[in-house]
Amino acid sequence: MPTAPHPQTTDELLQALQANGERPYGRTRTVAAEELAEAAEQFAEPVPLIHALLELQEAYTYGSEPRKSPVVFARLLTLFDERPDVFDERLRHQLFWRFKWVANALRALPEIPLASLRQWLTEMRDRYTKAELDLQPYYGQAYQLAAHTGEDTALAYELWAARSRSRLSDCEACEICERARYHLTAGDDERALRAWEPVLAGKESCQEEPARSISYALLPLLRTGRSDEARALHLAGYRGCRRNASMAGEIGRHLEFCALTGNEARGLELLAENRTLFDEVESPRDLLDLLTGVEVLLQRVERLGHGELPAAGFTGRAWTVSGLRAEVRDRADDLAGRFDTRNGTTAHSDHRRARLDRAPLLEGLELTLRTRGLDDVTPAVRAAPAAAPVTARAAAAVPDTLPELILRARALGEQGHPDAEACWARLRTLVAARDYSHPDDPAVGTLVRLYADLLDDEAARAGYKDEHAEAAALHEEAAGLYEDAGLPGHAALAHACAVLAAAELPARDAGDGGADGARAPHADGSGAPGAAVDATGARGDGEAAARTAALTAAHASLVRLHEETSPLAPHQEARLLRLRATALGLRLQTSGSEEHVAAVLAEIDRLHAFATRHDIVGQIAGARLLKATTHAMTGDLPAALAETGDLLDRLKEHGPAWHLPRTHALRGRLHLGLGDAQAAHADLTEGLRLAADWPDGTVDTSLHADLAQACVHLGRPDEALRHLTRSAELNLRAGARVDAYCAYDSAAQLSLGLGRVEDSIALLDSLLAEPDVTSGELDDRLVAQLRLTRARALHTGEDLKAATAEFVSLAAESAGWADDPGSHAMIAAETAVLLAESGEFDRAREAVDQALAAHARDPRFENLSNALRELARLKAEQQGPDGLSGARAFLADAGRVAEEARTAGYEVQGRPLDAALAFEHGRVNAYAGAYEDSLTALDRALGLLGEPGPEPARAGEWAESVRLAGVVEGVYLERPAPALTRLDAAITRLTALGHTEPVRELTALAARLRDEE
């Protein structure tokens, strides 16, 4: 099926060729090029056909189809021989340049005899000589053939390297790579790296560089002790070649780098990302390079004892590491043997063997923010519950005999002791065994009761992961078994837990949870009670009302269940009271209504009094934590802080000790709420230290996220980054994948703010390749947030084309978010700016009009104002006077947005909108040469800003307005005297305020104006 309409004229053909040339290399571009070449045959004049054939050969060359490239070139050469007059200077240059492409294609095909390769080089030399062209490119190809066969390389290198470059020489970056590889083959890493320096530093580049050079330089960098540089280049270089069939060899070398630096898990991840290359790469030489890199990785994984791990391989079947390695080995050995047979040497087999024989260069080089080991990619690790927590603390002692184990699990469970989970985990394993035999012991009870206990524990773990439907069902099932076992108190408690879990369902939204989101206490009230400190009440009014009603009904059911159940053991009654208090606490958290405060406090006091009367220390602590949380939810942070201080004193004297880390965690959040980051850091760090004494899950995983927030406030971003990634890892381990992705997204954003662009992109690429993302299982809004952060990172990393494509896609997707037009407004506005940076102002206008329409439904004043001003600046900067009208139209829209903000009483977080708008009028008019209008606007901006004060940001903005006014007045309007008066007054004012940086800039401008007087 044709990919585009059939061109009817030569102009249409040339336009289609130009459009196709903007596509990425691959099958889509190649198929279109084939169709256009066929269409070009209909025209009598040869020039359109020449252009079409050139495009087709380029598509074959960079689409990894070397067998077809020489065929197309033969047609071009025939046309040149028949009609040399139709080849202008540019077409003639293209023709002679591509002799090298054919030489490269022929080398890549082992079925082409060596004599044919040499014959082609002779043809190239003769043609160059006849055309009076310099022979340096010929000698370059002769050297590459020598390097390929492994014979006479030193002489061939000297004959090439000693010659001066010519117009038809390979680009500087490509020649640097060849020189460096020659030194690398000779074993001189240092000399190779010195040669590569201009390319690795970004001073020289081309279509294939620096990605090609980076892939070869990774191991020499490690061998010479430059691991940090190797790490950074791996991240940047891999992104430059990922999923690119024409760079399959480079991808293979990145896989090898992962294998030799202790990053086997990342290697398997990258292999999965590039799995289509097994079928897409048509170049035998590139495929050999890829397969050898893949085998290095798989060999390493297998030697580490993980040969049964799944691996992404050739289509048509599922592969394990061991199975894929055997297949890859056979195919790569065959390819190497075919090349060596053709060349009459053993160069390819020798090189392959050398790569496979390399020992790891580093035990563990941390390549990305998401460091994972092979254990983390074990099959079904997501679905299987952890058999035992992984902690810094020694595993809890588990009784050896079955009766003791059962009784120990129940006793610890009654106390709420964290070590109960280790006992339940052991029991789950024992009971699941085919040969399990239940003890005949009255103290232990029946097997039915044990099944009920295990179901109840499983339900609690589901609740911890916010899987409320599952938790409710499991609690109800446990209640039924308890009733069958004749245990009404246990049954009532299980029913109560089910009631509260079910009340969570109406407002449950798997996508509603970000790095700042709050985790509600669990059904038994044992969750992180300080989570509500950061609750924002972001649910819609209808959803919140429904959830409030559900929790009110749940509380009534719990009270009724409590009153109707008798007898209850004291620990059971205390838990029921805790559930009652939790239900009302959740209701207050949802509604935020003052009317609900007294009822919560009354239930908490009832729980505290009962627990004190019966000396149930765990529930005493729980009541105090719930009270502190309630104070926090009502905004009384000092009262909450005082409550946690008293609780810490009690816990240190009476216990239970496992509540200490949780209490410190809550105090840390309270300190954050009060703006005391230093105190927050101290409490959170102490909580983290104490948590090491207990199993994972004793403290909510948000503790690390809170520590990250404190570190950011304290100016310790690297430490904050470590805590964010740790928070994400713990959430993944606990099965809370939404929270994990949110923490990783925060880490990516922080990394971006630190200038670690490639770290940010690599982390997000890893997340977006996760199975639950690619399958659509994860909430689409959360996936969109990850993609948005990645698009911003790409923009920061100056990959404007990729960033714009992602923003355009996100804008189209978010246009369908009827429930969230504000987010669409922000995304569409950012999209417009990127399109304008690319010079696509018509599309930018369409995008910002979409943003304005969405903004009308859900205002985003600052985002829209900022975007519109930036669009105006770009329009005027790129188009000068011709763009002034369009730029002023953007500014008129920005003026309307500012007026709307004033009318709505909106308080800006950044620059005052009116002052920023006046400044942009000044800058836009200056770009367009309307200098009087520019000066008038800048004077207005200064009037709106007022005199500067001690704040550096406001002073900097004021100084920039003065500086631009000075340039316009003194330079462009050629009125230096008033400009100097303006500047001198500003310098005096800013000097008195101690703003040294803007003073330097204004002083330099004043000196320039005086020199020009």
Side-chain angles (χ1 to χ4, degrees):
M1 179 180 295
T3 60
H6 202 283
Q8 300 300 312
T9 66
T10 56
D11 286 342
E12 288 181 3
L13 175 68
L14 293 175
Q15 289 172 4
L17 288 170
Q18 183 178 1
N20 198 47
E22 295 175 359
R23 288 176 170 154
Y25 295 110
R27 285 304 303 162
T28 300
R29 176 169 175 172
T30 300
V31 169
E34 290 171 339
E35 292 172 357
L36 292 172
E38 182 180 350
E41 299 281 2
Q42 68 181 301
F43 302 113
E45 50 187 305
V47 173
L49 178 59
I50 293 169
H51 283 288
L53 292 173
L54 288 170
E55 162 60 21
L56 181 57
Q57 189 191 12
E58 182 175 344
Y60 285 146
T61 298
Y62 289 106
S64 188
E65 296 190 56
R67 290 180 174 86
K68 298 177 181 179
S69 173
V71 177
V72 178
F73 188 74
R75 181 76 189 283
L76 281 166
L77 206 53
T78 300
L79 286 170
F80 177 74
D81 290 339
E82 293 173 348
R83 296 285 305 276
D85 56 300
V86 301
F87 282 77
D88 60 19
E89 182 58 31
R90 191 181 70 84
L91 292 177
R92 185 173 178 274
H93 180 86
Q94 284 284 317
L95 181 81
F96 281 96
W97 181 276
R98 296 184 182 208
F99 274 88
K100 298 178 294 182
W101 285 11
V102 175
N104 185 57
L106 296 176
R107 285 195 303 273
L109 303 171
E111 63 266 30
I112 303 298
L114 186 60
S116 297
L117 270 64
R118 289 173 174 155
Q119 183 180 349
W120 178 252
L121 291 182
T122 301
E123 175 79 6
M124 178 181 177
R125 183 190 62 198
D126 292 346
R127 293 268 188 172
Y128 271 51
T129 301
K130 182 179 179 181
E132 298 182 347
L133 297 172
D134 188 86
L135 291 180
Q136 194 263 10
Y138 157 75
Y139 283 104
Q141 292 302 310
Y143 162 66
Q144 290 186 40
L145 178 58
H148 175 79
T149 62
E151 287 190 327
D152 301 323
T153 53
L155 175 60
Y157 178 79
E158 292 302 327
L159 288 172
W160 164 62
R163 290 179 173 268
S164 299
R165 287 173 47 76
S166 70
R167 288 181 63 246
L168 288 168
S169 297
D170 284 343
C171 77
E172 189 71 36
C174 287
E175 289 204 344
I176 285 172
C177 185
E178 291 302 330
R179 292 190 188 97
R181 289 181 61 197
Y182 174 77
H183 299 310
L184 193 62
T185 302
D188 194 339
D189 286 345
E190 292 286 2
R191 190 172 180 184
L193 291 171
R194 284 197 300 273
W196 260 316
E197 187 174 343
V199 176
L200 300 183
K203 297 175 184 176
E204 298 288 346
S205 63
C206 70
Q207 176 73 34
E208 298 172 322
E209 296 290 351
R212 183 164 171 256
S213 288
I214 285 173
S215 72
Y216 283 107
L218 293 174
L219 298 187
L221 285 168
L222 291 180
R223 290 193 292 260
T224 54
R226 296 158 63 177
S227 57
D228 287 343
E229 189 175 351
R231 174 190 178 278
L233 287 173
H234 162 68
L235 295 179
Y238 171 70
R239 186 162 63 85
C241 60
R242 63 198 289 257
R243 301 176 186 166
N244 186 340
S246 69
M247 304 202 84
E250 284 73 12
I251 293 168
R253 286 183 283 278
H254 280 281
L255 297 179
E256 180 179 3
F257 175 76
C258 290
L260 300 181
T261 56
N263 287 279
E264 298 84 6
R266 173 168 170 79
L268 291 176
E269 180 183 299
L270 301 190
L271 176 60
E273 187 176 18
N274 293 280
R275 68 194 316 161
T276 59
L277 297 187
F278 286 118
D279 302 308
E280 291 176 356
V281 178
E282 297 289 338
S283 166
R285 183 183 56 195
D286 291 347
L287 185 59
L288 173 59
D289 268 357
L290 171 65
L291 293 179
T292 301
V294 170
E295 187 179 353
V296 171
L297 170 66
L298 299 177
Q299 173 181 271
R300 178 65 181 158
V301 173
E302 192 173 26
R303 287 177 178 176
L304 290 172
H306 293 274
E308 295 308 309
L309 279 178
F314 301 93
T315 56
R317 58 166 285 191
W319 297 93
T320 64
V321 165
S322 296
L324 181 59
R325 182 196 172 196
E327 181 71 19
V328 165
R329 180 179 60 238
D330 291 345
R331 296 193 187 204
D333 282 345
D334 176 67
L335 282 171
R338 290 171 60 199
F339 276 112
D340 287 344
T341 299
R342 189 269 301 276
N343 297 336
T345 66
T346 60
H348 287 272
S349 295
D350 292 344
H351 180 60
R352 187 172 134 67
R353 191 175 305 110
R355 290 178 69 182
L356 290 167
D357 288 346
R358 283 184 182 129
L361 297 173
L362 290 174
E363 289 186 6
L365 175 63
E366 188 173 314
L367 292 182
T368 69
L369 296 173
R370 190 186 184 195
T371 303
R372 296 194 298 168
L374 290 171
D375 289 335
D376 297 314
V377 293
T378 300
V381 72
R382 282 185 51 207
V390 180
T391 70
R393 160 198 193 240
V398 176
D400 294 328
T401 67
L402 187 56
E404 288 178 326
L405 178 60
I406 295 171
L407 295 175
R408 176 70 170 161
R410 288 171 180 162
L412 292 175
E414 289 176 6
Q415 300 171 36
H417 198 294
D419 284 343
E421 178 52 35
C423 296
W424 291 124
R426 176 62 179 155
L427 281 169
R428 280 194 295 274
T429 302
L430 293 174
V431 172
R434 289 184 178 181
D435 59 350
Y436 176 76
S437 176
H438 192 68
D440 184 12
D441 185 337
V444 169
T446 65
L447 179 58
V448 171
R449 179 185 175 181
L450 181 56
Y451 281 151
D453 291 338
L454 292 172
L455 282 171
D456 210 43
D457 176 67
E458 188 179 349
R461 288 185 293 112
Y464 178 82
K465 293 185 286 187
D466 291 346
E467 296 172 356
H468 299 297
E470 178 75 4
L474 289 170
H475 277 306
E476 284 292 0
E477 189 177 354
L481 292 180
Y482 279 132
E483 288 170 354
D484 292 344
L487 298 168
H490 291 74
L493 199 53
H495 278 305
C497 289
V499 166
L500 190 51
E504 284 279 78
L505 292 176
R508 180 61 188 157
D509 178 358
D512 182 23
D516 297 325
R519 178 187 292 278
H522 306 143
D524 66 352
S526 65
V533 172
D534 292 326
T536 60
R539 294 180 177 87
D541 291 341
E543 187 180 7
R547 187 167 188 265
T548 299
L551 288 164
T552 300
H555 178 260
S557 297
L558 293 172
V559 172
R560 188 163 53 253
L561 191 61
H562 187 184
E563 292 171 349
E564 293 174 355
T565 305
S566 181
L568 286 169
H571 75 274
Q572 292 173 334
E573 190 162 357
R575 282 196 66 195
L576 271 170
L577 288 168
R578 178 83 167 267
L579 290 169
R580 288 168 53 171
T582 298
L584 294 185
L586 289 171
R587 184 179 70 173
L588 174 60
Q589 179 181 342
T590 302
S591 69
S593 173
E594 291 184 10
E595 298 176 359
H596 293 149
V597 176
V600 182
L601 293 175
E603 282 286 25
I604 292 171
D605 288 343
R606 188 175 292 110
L607 167 63
H608 186 268
F610 182 89
T612 301
R613 188 162 60 251
H614 293 278
D615 195 26
I616 307 174
V617 292
Q619 296 293 4
I620 294 172
R624 300 288 294 271
L625 283 167
L626 283 171
K627 193 166 192 175
T629 300
T630 303
H631 286 313
M633 283 192 287
T634 61
D636 192 352
L637 300 188
L641 194 64
E643 185 71 37
T644 56
D646 293 343
L647 177 56
L648 279 178
D649 292 338
R650 175 183 171 82
L651 290 173
K652 290 172 184 175
E653 183 175 354
H654 301 289
W658 60 85
H659 278 290
L660 280 168
R662 183 173 297 159
T663 306
H664 277 292
L666 175 55
R667 280 181 64 82
R669 294 176 196 138
L670 294 169
H671 282 304
L672 281 174
L674 290 166
D676 191 344
Q678 191 65 56
H681 188 274
D683 262 310
L684 292 166
T685 301
E686 179 64 9
L688 194 60
R689 184 188 70 81
L690 293 171
D693 293 334
W694 304 101
D696 286 352
T698 305
V699 180
D700 193 270
T701 53
S702 64
L703 192 152
H704 280 281
D706 293 329
L707 257 173
Q709 186 179 349
C711 290
V712 168
H713 287 301
L714 293 172
R716 291 146 70 170
D718 290 324
E719 185 180 345
L721 202 54
R722 289 195 298 273
H723 284 300
L724 280 173
T725 55
R726 180 60 176 158
S727 174
E729 291 162 9
L730 291 174
N731 276 312
L732 280 179
R733 188 180 299 164
R737 296 184 69 79
V738 169
D739 291 339
Y741 284 125
C742 290
Y744 273 133
D745 183 66
S746 295
Q749 294 184 47
L750 179 57
S751 181
L752 190 58
L754 292 172
R756 295 169 59 176
V757 177
E758 295 299 340
D759 279 328
S760 180
I761 295 172
L763 172 59
L764 293 161
D765 282 343
S766 174
L767 297 175
L768 290 168
E770 282 288 307
D772 55 353
V773 175
T774 57
S775 67
E777 176 186 344
L778 191 66
D779 180 77
D780 60 344
R781 303 296 174 86
L782 179 52
V783 175
Q785 176 59 53
L786 297 173
R787 291 170 57 201
L788 181 62
T789 304
R790 182 177 181 273
R792 288 169 175 161
L794 290 169
H795 187 216
T796 303
E798 300 182 353
D799 191 344
L800 182 58
K801 184 176 181 180
T804 303
E806 186 66 281
F807 264 108
V808 168
S809 175
L810 282 167
E813 182 177 320
S814 62
W817 297 350
D819 61 331
D820 189 11
S823 290
H824 175 58
M826 291 187 289
I827 293 171
E830 283 192 68
T831 303
V833 171
L834 267 69
L835 288 167
E837 288 183 20
S838 303
E840 298 186 61
F841 286 101
D842 289 342
R843 293 180 67 196
R845 181 73 254 184
E846 292 174 5
V848 83
D849 284 344
Q850 289 182 24
L852 287 166
H855 159 80
R857 301 196 304 275
D858 187 4
R860 292 294 187 270
F861 298 111
E862 285 186 79
N863 296 96
L864 266 294
S865 177
N866 293 344
L868 287 162
R869 297 196 314 270
E870 181 65 5
L871 288 168
R873 182 191 71 79
L874 290 166
K875 181 83 170 175
E877 182 181 41
Q878 293 181 28
Q879 298 181 355
D882 293 339
L884 182 56
S885 175
R888 285 175 172 171
F890 285 129
L891 292 178
D893 287 334
R896 284 188 285 274
V897 170
E899 179 61 33
E900 292 168 4
R902 276 194 302 276
T903 303
Y906 177 76
E907 294 186 13
V908 298
Q909 304 300 310
R911 301 168 64 189
L913 300 187
D914 287 327
L917 181 60
F919 174 82
E920 209 59 65
H921 271 289
R923 183 157 57 177
V924 161
N925 281 297
Y927 278 135
Y931 299 122
E932 291 291 357
D933 289 343
S934 172
L935 190 59
T936 300
L938 290 168
D939 282 335
R940 182 170 185 272
L942 287 165
L944 290 168
L945 284 170
E947 288 296 309
E951 301 86 359
R954 182 61 60 86
E957 185 178 349
W958 184 84
E960 178 57 19
S961 297
V962 172
R963 187 199 66 78
L964 184 53
V967 170
V968 170
E969 190 170 28
V971 177
Y972 295 113
L973 291 174
E974 299 181 348
R975 300 201 294 256
L980 284 168
T981 300
R982 179 195 302 273
L983 291 169
D984 290 342
I987 290 168
T988 300
R989 175 66 174 155
L990 292 170
T991 300
L993 292 169
H995 298 300
T996 57
E997 185 59 35
V999 165
R1000 276 196 292 271
E1001 295 179 5
L1002 296 181
T1003 301
L1005 176 58
R1008 173 189 168 189
L1009 292 177
R1010 288 191 169 91
D1011 289 342
E1012 294 176 356
E1013 277 188 307

